[in-house]
């Protein structure tokens, strides 16, 4: 068993993949998987709550409930005071879960069909609740009764250990089950124990907040030749390009940032977005960085290390271009030439919106696949515009949305959000696990675009540059002091 960190590189499987892995493991093991899962849960329960005086197991009507019953039996035998609340009738449990119920009953575990209300009120922060209500097969909205149990788990001051995933979480997307929008209908766990493999929903959407520490027990599974291919990999921290003693500024690439609509255009100047992207590229170690504001004028608000030049004077064929940051509507005049001439390109923000509105620009973006590395960095709304679907559809299957964009434009895609997805032709997608809510502020996406541009300029492929930059971008937020706000300019200044 191991706790997964934001630097863990691990395969991610969907529901069908895990079911295949389960069948392969059960075929070569004389011990039922439920027995193994229950023992693993009990062992983790002791590890995370060694001083618990009371342990409440909320067991659901399926195999997840069976895992909880198995865990309760072990914890009872080890001397813990355990109570199990079974949602549903024992005779209706699946065969393996019913056998677990019989074993727990025979061992003397207290099993009722009601929540132990008074007992729960006496539980403290050293005690433990085990969420064994729903597992990876969950797809429907929670029933009113199960909603009440979820709320009881969340109100209890004890720690919560979720088996498989927190109840109320869609294991595939990280969104709430069904069409729910009330996060009160989602168990907020301190720990989540996944078996055999990890599921994408643990690392995306609400999963990032609800799962707490994520643990993985493979239950003895060993990868074999017949194992299904993973849907994705967790994005581990990539090494950053270094600078040798014999290098010079020309050795580390030239980045040009084109964007920043002027104030006169629509009454809201956005030069700061382009300055942030350029500052990020500079701080990340690009050899030379050129800031090209769409006004054609220089700004006094940029670091003196940046060169400033009118974009029409740039030799785009020799540059790693970052375009779109704060571009507004003025960027539409620039995009055709940028798409046709840039040696390498990071297309962000209003650059993506311009492409979404113009079929000719979409065709030009597709043509870059023939030899001009390109990264697009949409947030969910921009992705929805490009795919001509709703934001809800994007969020319901972020992996698919990222891969659809990759297939459409034949380039590297960074679908930003909780659990950023990186997809590229010929690569298994990555799900990023670094970062937190501090990044939910204006300008942090511009910083990411500039950072990706710098990594490409330093010689990384488009895919590796995106994976490296996204991991580092999130890690700065992870390392930021909890009592300090993180602004985009702070973020840019703390890159290296």
């Amino acid at each position: 068993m191991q706790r997964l960190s934001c630097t863990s590189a691990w395969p991610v499987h969907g529901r069908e993949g895990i079911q295949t892995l389960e069948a392969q493991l059960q075929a070569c093991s004389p011990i039922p998987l439920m027995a193994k899962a229950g023992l693993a849960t009990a062992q983790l329960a002791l590890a995370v709550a060694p001083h618990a005086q009371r342990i409440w197991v909320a067991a659901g009507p399926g195999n997840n409930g069976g895992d909880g019953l198995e865990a309760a039996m072990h914890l009872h035998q080890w001397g813990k005071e355990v109570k199990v609340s079974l949602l549903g009738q024992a005779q209706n449990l699946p065969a393996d879960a019913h056998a677990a119920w019989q074993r727990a009953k025979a061992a003397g575990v207290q099993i009722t069909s009601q929540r132990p209300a008074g007992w729960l009120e006496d539980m403290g922060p050293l005690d433990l609740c085990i969420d064994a209500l729903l597992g990876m097969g969950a797809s429907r909205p929670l029933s009113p009764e199960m909603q009440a149990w979820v709320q009881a788990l969340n109100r209890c001051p004890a720690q919560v250990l979720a088996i498989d995933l927190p109840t109320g979480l869609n294991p595939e997307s990280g969104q709430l089950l069904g069409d729910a929008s009330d996060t009160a209908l989602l168990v907020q766990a301190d720990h989540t124990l996944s078996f055999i493999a990890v599921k994408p929903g643990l690392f995306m959407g609400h999963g990032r907040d609800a799962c707490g520490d994520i643990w993985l027990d493979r239950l003895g599974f060993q990868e074999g030749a017949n194992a299904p291919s993973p849907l994705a990999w967790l994005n581990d921290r990539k090494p950053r390009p270094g600078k040798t003693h014999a290098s010079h500024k020309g050795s580390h690439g030239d980045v040009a940032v084109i964007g920043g609509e002027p104030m006169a255009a629509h009454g809201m100047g956005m030069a700061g977005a382009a300055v942030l992207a350029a500052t990020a590229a500079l701080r990340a170690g690009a050899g030379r960085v050129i800031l090209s504001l769409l006004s054609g004028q220089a700004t006094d608000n940029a670091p003196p290390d940046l060169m400033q030049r009118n974009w029409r004077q740039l030799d785009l064929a020799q540059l790693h271009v970052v375009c779109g940051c704060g571009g507004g509507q003025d960027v539409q005049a620039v995009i055709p030439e940028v798409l046709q001439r840039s040696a390498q390109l990071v297309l962000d923000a209003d650059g993506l919106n311009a492409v979404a509105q113009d079929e000719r620009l979409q065709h030009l973006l597709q043509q870059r696949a023939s030899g001009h590395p390109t990264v697009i960095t949409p947030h969910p709304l921009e992705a929805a515009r490009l795919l001509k679907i709703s934001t809800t559809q994007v969020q319901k299957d972020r992996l698919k949305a990222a891969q659809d964009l990759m297939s459409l434009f034949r380039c590297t895609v960074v679908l930003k959000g909780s659990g950023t997805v990186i997809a590229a032709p010929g690569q298994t997608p990555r799900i990023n696990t670094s970062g937190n809510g501090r990044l939910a502020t204006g300008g942090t996406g511009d910083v990411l675009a500039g950072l990706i541009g710098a990594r490409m300029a330093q010689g990384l492929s488009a895919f590796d540059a995106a994976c490296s930059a996204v991991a580092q971008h999130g890690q700065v937020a992870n390392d930021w002091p909890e009592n300090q706000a993180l602004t985009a300019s702070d973020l840019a200044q703390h890159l290296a």
Side-chain angles (χ1 to χ4, degrees), residues 205-458:
H206 296 291
R208 298 289 307 281
D209 295 312
C211 291
D213 291 333
I214 298 175
W215 301 77
L216 174 66
D217 194 310
R218 305 220 74 187
L219 303 182
F221 183 82
Q222 300 292 326
E223 294 285 356
N226 295 326
S229 299
L231 290 178
W233 285 82
L234 298 184
N235 186 38
D236 60 337
R237 186 182 299 174
K238 304 288 183 181
R240 303 171 194 171
K243 292 192 174 185
T244 63
H245 289 289
S247 66
H248 52 83
K249 62 185 179 183
S251 306
H252 304 286
D254 295 340
V255 175
V257 175
I258 304 174
E261 185 179 62
M263 176 75 77
H266 297 96
M268 184 173 69
M270 295 187 289
V275 172
L276 284 169
T279 302
L282 189 67
R283 295 290 299 178
R288 291 175 292 199
V289 181
I290 304 166
L291 174 63
S292 295
L293 297 177
L294 293 174
S295 65
Q297 304 298 315
T299 176
D300 295 332
N301 295 324
D305 319 67
L306 295 175
M307 295 181 282
Q308 297 192 54
R309 193 171 299 169
N310 188 301
W311 72 270
R312 293 179 178 83
Q313 300 172 330
L314 300 178
D315 185 0
L316 298 178
Q318 302 299 318
L319 293 169
H320 303 81
V321 177
V322 178
C323 184
C325 301
Q329 296 181 21
D330 280 10
V331 79
Q332 295 176 12
V334 179
I335 287 293
E337 192 164 352
V338 165
L339 289 172
Q340 293 176 84
R341 293 182 49 215
S342 300
Q344 300 196 33
L345 175 63
V346 179
L347 195 60
D348 184 48
D350 290 316
L352 296 173
N353 290 330
V355 169
Q357 298 168 18
D358 190 325
E359 289 187 6
R360 175 174 173 264
L361 296 181
Q362 294 165 25
H363 183 63
L364 290 176
L365 179 55
Q366 292 165 347
Q367 287 183 322
R368 292 186 58 82
S370 60
H372 298 287
T374 305
V375 179
I376 63 173
T377 57
H379 56 53
L381 178 56
E382 291 161 350
R385 289 168 178 158
L386 289 165
L387 291 171
K388 296 178 172 54
I389 59 177
S390 69
T391 305
T392 299
Q393 288 173 291
V394 170
Q395 294 294 73
K396 279 187 175 180
D397 198 337
R398 290 172 54 79
L399 279 169
K400 182 178 185 299
Q403 290 175 297
D404 285 349
L405 283 169
M406 177 267 292
S407 297
L408 178 62
F409 295 115
R410 300 193 293 275
C411 66
T412 297
V413 176
V414 175
L415 177 55
K416 297 181 289 194
S418 178
T420 291
V421 178
I422 305 106
Q427 300 285 348
T428 301
R430 301 293 192 267
I431 300 175
N432 193 62
T433 56
S434 65
N436 53 52
R438 294 187 185 93
L439 294 174
T441 187
T444 57
D446 304 309
V447 172
L448 177 61
L451 178 56
I452 296 171
R455 294 291 175 247
M456 293 173 72
Q458 291 164 318

